[in-house]
Amino acid sequence: MNDMYCDVVIVGCGVAGLYAALWLPSDKRIVMLSKEDLASCDSMLAQGGICVLRDETDYDAYFEDTLRAGHYENRRESVELMIRGSRSVIDHLLALGVRFERNADGSLAYTREGAHSAPRICFHKDITGKEITSTLLARVRERSNVSLMEYTEMTDILVEKGTCRGVAAKTRDGGSLHIHAADTVLATGGIGGLYEHSTNFPLLTGDGCEAARRHGVKLEHMDYVQIHPTCLYSTRPGRSFLISESARGEGAVLLNHRGERFVDELLPRDVVTKAIHQEMEKEGVPFEYLSFAAVPEETILGHFPHIFERCLAEGYDIRKEPAPIVPAQHYFMGGIYVNRDSATTMAHLYAVGETSCNGVHGKNRLASNSLLESLVFAKRAAHKITENQERSDTYESNYNAACC
Ligand SMILES: Cc1cc2nc3c(=O)[nH]c(=O)nc-3n(C[C@H](O)[C@H](O)[C@H](O)COP(=O)(O)OP(=O)(O)OC[C@H]3O[C@@H](n4cnc5c(N)ncnc54)[C@H](O)[C@@H]3O)c2cc1C
């Protein structure tokens, strides 16, 4: 068994883990773990986009949309922190090099998704997650204080007298490693790998939650799981391909096998999912259809090139015919309970991103709120860790000065 020592260990290299690393001071030694390769995280898959508070006039509507989608079970303080933090996060992403779509006059272009009462979503084609994540990764790679360890799987957290002291991990060659750290951040993503049909990477099996549970760290709403209404129906095995909600935001409609609409496509995800399941049961079929007939061809090719190509590869030209769709597991609203600074109930243990539950999403997530929530609360975790480590450095140097 080998030992490593650092200031902060971050388990997970999706947007949440990467953004936390970028907000930690450059004199901190940071170790980041990725269970497989760096590209295998859900952050790379996000299609639709990332929400932002466009201006003050949209605050109440954005707040209400988030609460309505979450069945009013959201933690209001967290929603407020996320919305109020959104503009500076988007500005920071732009400064880091993220290319969001712009209008002819240079202003940011906004799209809309289900359950949003207004367009307020920044996007990059239909591969927003890849654009953001690869930019963050490039910036992290420039930091000499951060070590990225691929194919290194956290197997447990290290705990001494109720305090987290780092993580235990298994390396690519099967060796075991103890990474001792002053602070630990769990950013292990969702739980889709536990499901037969999911849009998530199969490697995402809720490892952060399981390690936390094992040591009595508080978890919350472990049964709040979001099913995405529109995944491409396929008989091939493997990850379900998601057709972003923004397709419906841009005019795509749901049809049954008789070519009839059966639900308002812009209702919250759980409502649309239920309607599709009911229609499938009524018709005795394994899928329904998503028609792009009302979406202009230039929007299909310009805004949804990835979706277009993938449907084509499965044999459906969405410019001419509807694509078969079926709901699949998509997102986990519950997770490791954290406070406003992403601190768990165990000292020196933080959780960010999909593995955490800060209550932003309530019982059901509003589309395009998760990238934003991950970033806002990862930044808050980094600030809190920095503040606490600086305080303990000051304490130690005062103590040493007093002793010597
Ligand atoms: C198809 C799809 C489309 C989406 N579209 C959108 C969208 O348009 N807008 C939006 O806001 N959200 C969207 N989401 C949700 C959003 O992408 C995720 O919620 C978010 O990216 C989660 O980020 P994360 O950093 O928490 O986790 P991930 O990005 O999933 O990263 C998890 C990391 O943890 C690592 N890990 C896990 N277990 C271990 C372990 N035991 N040891 C070491 N490392 C481990 C993984 O290797 C990975 O690096 C979408 C999700 C999917 C699947």
Side-chain angles (χ1 to χ4, degrees):
M1 206 260 301
N2 290 317
D3 290 285
M4 275 177 82
Y5 296 84
C6 62
D7 293 305
V8 184
V9 58
I10 300 175
V11 187
C13 299
V15 288
L18 293 169
Y19 207 55
L22 284 175
W23 277 102
L24 286 166
S26 54
D27 61 348
K28 299 284 173 206
R29 288 160 303 151
I30 301 164
V31 173
M32 297 190 71
L33 309 186
S34 167
K35 194 169 176 178
E36 293 185 6
D37 63 309
L38 291 166
S40 298
C41 64
D42 276 6
S43 298
M44 287 284 189
L45 302 177
Q47 295 179 349
I50 175 167
C51 290
V52 67
L53 177 63
R54 294 172 56 158
D55 54 53
E56 203 49 37
T57 60
D58 192 36
Y59 182 84
D60 290 343
Y62 184 8
F63 193 87
E64 174 61 19
D65 289 350
T66 302
L67 258 59
R68 193 172 351 101
H71 297 261
Y72 297 93
E73 290 193 27
N74 322 57
R75 256 187 260 164
R76 285 166 174 263
E77 183 198 25
S78 300
V79 177
E80 185 177 352
L81 288 169
M82 177 187 74
I83 297 179
R84 290 284 175 216
S86 65
R87 176 54 66 182
S88 66
V89 161
I90 295 298
D91 288 345
H92 186 221
L93 292 178
L94 290 166
L96 292 173
V98 173
R99 298 160 298 168
F100 288 123
E101 307 293 333
R102 293 188 180 269
N103 299 311
D105 64 1
S107 59
L108 284 175
Y110 300 111
T111 187
R112 186 178 170 185
E113 296 192 60
H116 282 273
S117 57
R120 57 171 80 92
I121 299 167
C122 301
F123 63 104
H124 175 86
K125 298 187 181 132
D126 53 358
I127 48 166
T128 310
K130 190 173 177 194
E131 173 68 13
I132 296 175
T133 315
S134 44
T135 304
L136 295 180
L137 187 55
R139 299 293 84 82
V140 165
R141 282 188 191 283
E142 290 162 7
R143 300 277 175 105
S144 58
N145 63 316
V146 184
S147 308
L148 291 158
M149 297 178 69
E150 290 183 276
Y151 295 95
T152 307
E153 178 181 347
M154 176 209 63
T155 50
D156 205 352
I157 50 174
L158 301 176
V159 180
E160 274 171 35
K161 296 186 185 147
T163 295
C164 187
R165 298 289 185 205
V167 299
K170 195 169 72 190
T171 56
R172 191 196 292 243
D173 56 10
S176 33
L177 182 62
H178 277 185
I179 306 172
H180 305 269
D183 287 287
T184 300
V185 181
L186 297 175
T188 49
I191 57 168
L194 301 172
Y195 287 74
E196 194 183 348
H197 297 291
S198 171
T199 60
N200 295 187
F201 272 101
L203 68 97
L204 300 172
T205 46
D207 300 358
C209 294
E210 174 52 20
R213 186 203 59 80
R214 210 176 290 137
H215 294 276
V217 177
K218 183 176 172 184
L219 306 176
E220 190 171 57
H221 298 319
M222 297 301 281
D223 55 339
Y224 285 5
V225 177
Q226 183 173 79
I227 309 296
H228 197 286
T230 53
C231 297
L232 186 62
Y233 175 77
S234 173
T235 49
R236 291 189 204 172
R239 191 158 51 77
S240 304
F241 179 73
L242 178 140
I243 301 182
S244 168
E245 201 148 10
S246 54
R248 281 174 280 134
E250 297 292 333
V253 295
L254 287 161
L255 300 176
N256 62 19
H257 282 59
R258 293 187 305 281
E260 298 158 350
R261 283 177 78 180
F262 53 89
V263 64
D264 172 356
E265 290 80 5
L266 295 180
L267 286 171
R269 286 181 178 172
D270 52 344
V271 182
V272 178
T273 294
K274 197 167 163 196
I276 295 172
H277 276 140
Q278 280 171 348
E279 199 66 18
M280 281 165 55
E281 205 174 305
K282 208 161 79 188
E283 295 197 306
V285 292
F287 60 84
E288 297 296 350
Y289 290 104
L290 185 67
S291 165
F292 285 74
V295 184
E297 184 166 335
E298 61 269 25
T299 307
I300 293 178
L301 300 178
H303 191 154
F304 304 115
H306 181 51
I307 292 171
F308 171 71
E309 290 296 339
R310 181 60 190 263
C311 289
L312 203 59
E314 291 269 346
Y316 310 102
D317 184 343
I318 56 174
R319 293 171 303 180
K320 301 180 185 140
E321 60 192 325
I325 54 87
V326 67
Q329 190 280 342
H330 182 54
Y331 185 79
F332 180 41
M333 279 78 60
I336 305 169
Y337 173 88
V338 291
N339 68 11
R340 54 185 281 143
D341 294 314
S342 304
T344 71
T345 53
M346 179 178 276
H348 297 281
L349 180 66
Y350 294 77
V352 293
E354 198 168 328
T355 207
S356 69
C357 181
N358 51 42
V360 156
H361 308 298
K363 200 173 181 180
N364 177 54
R365 173 180 70 108
L366 180 69
S368 286
N369 260 353
S370 46
L371 289 173
L372 178 62
E373 173 254 309
S374 297
L375 297 174
V376 167
F377 284 87
K379 180 177 165 183
R380 296 186 68 82
H383 283 336
K384 197 65 189 172
I385 290 169
T386 309
E387 190 184 308
N388 287 345
Q389 290 198 358
E390 274 166 9
R391 193 177 301 144
S392 82
D393 288 349
T394 313
Y395 171 80
E396 262 175 44
S397 55
N398 286 347
Y399 180 81
N400 290 338
C403 287
C404 302

